[in-house]
């Protein structure tokens, strides 16, 4: 992005340039995505944290590359947050065909990685 440290806050202009998203779009997305909350300084100047920039990049990918609507992207992000906060369910000990059990465990791990 710039010569700043990776954990430094970024201005709306820096984020706009780095992600090729117009500043008015970034401001609109703040209204549409409640999880996006940059720090606002005196006079309303926005400063984006690294996690805000990452979230904006995800929103951009969902909307502009994967074809999500803003509403769909918002739902997807909210469901992802719920999954990250939900405790891992404790599964009962598998019984039956050992190969089937191994295949199901591998499939579960693959799905978990895909949804992360």
């Amino acid at each position: 992005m710039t010569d700043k440290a990776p954990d430094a806050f970024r201005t709306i202009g820096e984020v706009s340039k780095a992600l090729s998203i117009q500043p008015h779009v970034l401001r609109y997305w703040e209204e549409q995505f409640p999880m996006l909350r940059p720090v606002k300084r005196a006079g309303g100047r926005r400063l984006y944290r690294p996690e805000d920039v990452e979230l904006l990049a995800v929103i951009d990918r969902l909307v502009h590359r994967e074809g999500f609507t803003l509403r769909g992207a918002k739902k997807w992000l909210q469901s992802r947050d719920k999954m990250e906060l939900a405790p891992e369910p404790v599964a009962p000990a598998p019984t039956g065909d050992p190969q089937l059990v191994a295949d199901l465990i591998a499939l579960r791990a693959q799905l978990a990685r895909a949804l992360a």
Side-chain angles (χ1 to χ4, degrees), residues 22-83:
Q22 293 294 315
H24 71 274
V25 173
L26 296 174
R27 288 189 293 271
Y28 180 69
W29 283 357
E30 287 175 32
E31 297 172 11
Q32 301 302 309
F33 295 90
M35 64 285 291
L36 179 59
R37 291 287 163 230
V39 176
K40 290 190 182 173
R41 304 297 262 195
R45 183 174 174 171
R46 291 163 171 79
L47 294 175
Y48 292 88
R49 298 171 295 232
E51 54 268 22
D52 295 324
V53 177
E54 288 176 26
L55 179 57
L56 285 166
V58 170
I59 294 168
D60 182 50
R61 177 179 52 85
L62 291 173
V63 172
H64 292 122
R65 289 188 209 84
E66 295 186 22
F68 280 70
T69 62
L70 290 181
R71 178 188 234 169
K74 180 179 172 181
K75 285 183 180 181
W76 186 88
L77 289 167
Q78 288 172 333
S79 69
R80 182 191 70 165
D81 289 344
K82 287 179 187 173
M83 286 177 26

Side-chain angles (χ1 to χ4, degrees), residues 6-24:
D7 58 341
F9 285 29
R10 312 280 183 207
T11 65
I12 194 168
E14 291 170 328
V15 175
S16 172
K17 185 176 180 181
L19 299 178
S20 299
I21 302 170
Q22 293 294 315
H24 71 274

